[in-house]
Amino acid sequence: MPGFEIPRHVAIIMDGNGRWAAARGLPRGEGHRRGVEALRKTVRAAGEMGISILTIFSFSAENWSRPASEIRDLMGLLRRFIRNDLAELHQNGVKVRVIGAREDLDPEIRKLLEEAEDLTHGNDGLTLVVAFNYGARQEIARAAARIAAEVQAGRMEPSDVTADHIGQCLDAPDLPDPDLIIRTSGEQRLSNFLLWQAAYSELVFVPTYWPDFDREALETAIAEYHRRERRFGGLIARTGS
Ligand code: IPE
Ligand code: IPE
Ligand code: MG
């Protein structure tokens, strides 16, 4: 996209797999499988476009309320994605990070996630942040618990707690907040995704179901981002006034 400054951190709520499948008379699992293909394309496009960080909402802390068979499908897809795609991601210099609560995950899945992080740790291409078993309220509660423990141990005072400090206790404290959050499928809500980090993110909602998302859809969302005026509570300096 010539002439455009590319957002540094793009986060995507990959939604609409089930409806994509239902519209075609297919089982929901087929929608999830096609969703993984859209993810592959999007990761490739993001890297080529010069995006530094891509965060993807893969499985929410609330998605455990779905039927067991669908959860099995989703866990199986994650397993397969890491097994089949990790080598290629690594080859392309992608650095994988994971956010979310790992403790409740199947040990095999935990191991795969750790393997992906360890293998790609030294890479300096696109950072791919996988939000898995992720909920923003839970993430903030984990941060609060860590701070409470510091206070209890006498290492800090309650009055020392600042927004920056809370930010530093979140799951990926070294990463900048997302500039742009895209949600597919037409839903216009955050569904407990990055609530803290989204304070000044631009939100772009697109009607496309996730399996149909591709490079062109990403470019269109970024073009919309460029039409926005980010003010961060301040004023934009205007010439001639
Ligand atoms: C997104 O698609 C994938 C996950 C939430 C894991 P959905 O499964 O939510 O699809 P819809 O929203 O039912 O169409
Ligand atoms: C958000 O989508 C979670 C992921 C994309 C992983 P959901 O489909 O779970 O969200 P709701 O239930 O429509 O809010
Ligand atoms: Mg959904």
Side-chain angles (χ1 to χ4, degrees), residues 193-211:
F193 186 50
L194 302 179
L195 298 182
W196 182 274
Q197 299 87 336
Y200 276 103
S201 303
E202 294 298 329
L203 309 181
V204 172
F205 299 103
V206 301
T208 317
Y209 291 146
W210 175 250

Side-chain angles (χ1 to χ4, degrees), residues 6-26:
I6 293 294
R8 187 168 167 212
H9 183 176
V10 175
I12 307 184
I13 302 173
M14 310 184 291
D15 196 17
N17 293 349
R19 279 164 284 167
W20 181 93
R24 288 160 181 78
L26 297 169

